[in-house]
Amino acid sequence: MNIYLKKFIQKIKPKTAFDFGCGDGFDVAGARNMDVDAAGLDLPECDMNYPQKVGQYDLVYSNYVFPFVKNKKMFVSNLYNNLKIGGSVFVATFSLEDETFKQQGISKEDLSKLFSVFNDVDIEEKKYYDNEEDHQHWHKLLILKGQK
């Protein structure tokens, strides 16, 4: 499970969560192991370039999906519209300084502007070592947290 997401869940203790772009469901399973009623969708069922209405959640999150979404404003709108009032958003994405995803990365300032509809937005820059079998390299990440 994304370690930064895990720490965030431990801090805010949501009852429900939804993962936009969940891939194989690894983070959904991790959230469930933390007693969160978690669900998620991935392509083709969940195309973040178009409106997605999946419910109202205490936490909506997305890990490493942002660079691959063409309609960034719709992505943000989907997160916002599926979040309960007072709920939290979590997004992990690649910085412009990431060597692997430099072309798809985003600056902290641009990410902040896109997510300005949320309250209390905090964006942290992190270095993360990807230790997957065929990867084994460092990433420069932006971790965004906010509230509706």
Side-chain angles (χ1 to χ4, degrees):
M1 174 174 210
N2 177 317
I3 189 64
Y4 304 113
L5 174 61
K6 183 177 182 177
K7 288 178 182 181
F8 189 60
I9 288 173
Q10 288 170 333
K11 180 181 177 185
I12 66 167
K13 298 175 178 45
K15 291 181 181 162
T16 60
F18 194 86
D19 185 348
F20 281 100
C22 69
D24 62 6
F26 186 70
D27 289 325
V28 171
R32 287 178 181 161
N33 285 338
M34 298 173 72
D35 295 322
V36 178
D37 182 9
L41 283 176
D42 201 38
L43 288 170
E45 295 84 11
C46 181
D47 185 343
M48 295 297 285
N49 293 299
Y50 301 97
Q52 299 289 321
K53 192 64 177 155
V54 296
Q56 295 289 289
Y57 292 87
D58 298 316
L59 169 65
V60 293
Y61 63 94
S62 184
N63 290 307
Y64 316 118
V65 172
F66 191 76
F68 308 104
V69 174
K70 291 181 180 148
N71 189 338
K72 308 292 192 204
K73 289 181 181 179
M74 181 57 67
F75 174 85
V76 173
S77 179
N78 283 328
L79 296 176
Y80 188 85
N81 290 333
N82 287 282
L83 193 59
K84 292 178 180 176
I85 300 290
S88 298
V89 62
F90 176 97
V91 174
T93 192
F94 299 102
S95 163
L96 277 177
E97 297 174 18
D98 184 85
E99 289 298 319
T100 306
F101 289 96
K102 189 177 282 190
Q103 299 301 323
Q104 296 103 340
I106 189 167
S107 71
K108 190 175 181 179
E109 295 76 22
D110 287 342
L111 191 63
S112 180
K113 287 177 191 172
L114 277 169
F115 279 83
S116 63
V117 66
F118 287 93
N119 299 315
D120 304 320
V121 172
D122 178 51
I123 302 172
E124 296 178 83
E125 297 176 274
K126 300 281 188 181
K127 283 182 74 176
Y128 175 76
Y129 189 71
D130 187 348
N131 199 22
E132 292 293 321
E133 187 176 327
D134 295 327
H135 295 200
Q136 299 176 341
H137 56 264
W138 286 94
H139 283 291
K140 291 190 178 180
L141 306 177
L142 296 176
I143 305 294
L144 178 140
K145 302 167 196 164
Q147 286 191 305
K148 180 173 181 180

